[in-house]
Amino acid sequence: DIQMTQSPSSLSASVGDRVTITCRASQSISRYLGWYQQKPGEAPKLLISDASTLQSGVPSRFSGTGSGTDFTLTISSLQPEDFATYYCQQSVDSPRLTFGGGTKVEI
Amino acid sequence: QVQLRQSGPGLVKPSQTLSLTCDISGDSVSSNSVAWNWIRQSPSRGLEWLARTYYRSKWSNDYAESLKSRITINPDTSKNQFSLQLNSVIPEDTAVYYCVRGTNSWLDYWGQGTLVTVSS
């Protein structure tokens, strides 16, 4: 299975901060990378697919970049509703989807 | 709007069978453009893909290699739902289980989640 490694595992930030989360794949996955946001007690929500395609309704302060093995999720100006855990997921090895361990964004 | 509604017991005894059902509204289990998945989440294993079923002129199922001997996913076209069975459960199967729609392998609609605890 393709291993997905996220860093950091947690971070502290303030409203208005620029936040960057990194995801690394154990082998090249081209741009088959998605990002999810999960709030406590809720299911994950798809934010970005294909490394950089923002899903409908997702604020433009979220952006994704990368290809191959290294990817980044950026929140340009952190808002109170963005405090959550973020996960990356590869789909190149479908159906054997694998996820990163998560990055918790805290106040 | 697609909605997935899960049902099933929250407590299963070791060695018994875990059974969950996912009711679909706003889409069809027989759609030929999506797949229907089960995903679980636990503190020890994180998010883990378990199984999927999909229809492309015929039905196909795929399973996580580590669970292949114990797991079954089934579509039910008459009820527009799909189900998960996991046999011979152990405490390590304790997790929140989600039913999820996949579009081009992106997981775009999730059920509400069911915490299943394996304990005697």
Side-chain angles (χ1 to χ4, degrees):
Chain A
D1 287 357
I2 298 175
Q3 307 302 315
M4 307 300 294
T5 304
Q6 285 182 238
S7 61
S9 56
S10 66
L11 65 90
S12 296
S14 301
V15 173
D17 284 354
R18 182 182 182 87
V19 168
T20 299
I21 298 168
T22 297
C23 179
R24 177 165 287 175
S26 60
Q27 64 189 71
S28 177
I29 60 171
S30 184
R31 293 176 59 82
Y32 293 92
L33 191 282
W35 290 98
Y36 297 80
Q37 176 193 65
Q38 186 177 32
K39 297 180 180 179
E42 298 182 4
K45 172 189 173 183
L46 179 64
L47 298 177
I48 289 171
S49 62
D50 300 309
S52 62
T53 301
L54 213 59
Q55 297 303 291
S56 175
V58 175
S60 59
R61 62 181 179 272
F62 290 91
S63 63
T65 61
S67 65
T69 60
D70 294 316
F71 301 85
T72 298
L73 173 70
T74 299
I75 309 171
S76 60
S77 177
L78 198 66
Q79 298 302 300
E81 60 268 30
D82 301 336
F83 290 95
T85 302
Y86 294 85
Y87 295 93
C88 60
Q89 173 233 314
Q90 65 78 21
S91 69
V92 73
D93 195 25
S94 178
R96 290 163 294 278
L97 310 179
T98 52
F99 297 83
T103 296
K104 187 173 184 180
V105 176
E106 301 173 293
I107 300 173
Chain B
Q1 176 75 338
V2 177
Q3 291 190 326
L4 304 178
R5 187 97 188 136
Q6 303 173 215
S7 58
L11 181 64
V12 182
K13 289 182 167 52
S15 80
Q16 295 194 342
T17 297
L18 180 162
S19 295
L20 296 172
T21 299
C22 184
D23 290 310
I24 303 164
S25 58
D27 201 347
S28 170
V29 71
S30 304
S31 168
N32 60 11
S33 61
V34 300
W36 303 98
N37 298 265
W38 288 98
I39 305 276
R40 70 182 178 182
Q41 183 175 29
S42 66
S44 58
R45 301 173 74 94
L47 287 160
E48 182 181 14
W49 174 80
L50 304 179
R52 75 172 181 179
T53 188
Y54 60 96
Y55 184 76
R56 304 285 187 270
S57 304
K58 66 171 186 173
W59 287 102
S60 296
N61 298 332
D62 296 299
Y63 299 106
E65 199 63 37
S66 61
L67 297 172
K68 225 168 194 174
S69 63
R70 298 196 289 135
I71 194 169
T72 305
I73 188 171
N74 275 319
D76 185 335
T77 57
S78 66
K79 296 180 180 178
N80 202 31
Q81 64 182 204
F82 63 108
S83 64
L84 172 73
Q85 284 198 345
L86 184 63
N87 301 323
S88 306
V89 295
I90 58 177
E92 288 71 28
D93 292 318
T94 294
V96 177
Y97 287 74
Y98 294 100
C99 60
V100 190
R101 191 183 83 166
T103 304
N104 297 324
S105 296
W106 303 119
L107 306 169
D108 54 2
Y109 288 95
W110 296 63
Q112 80 274 22
T114 301
L115 173 60
V116 178
T117 301
V118 177
S119 174
S120 55

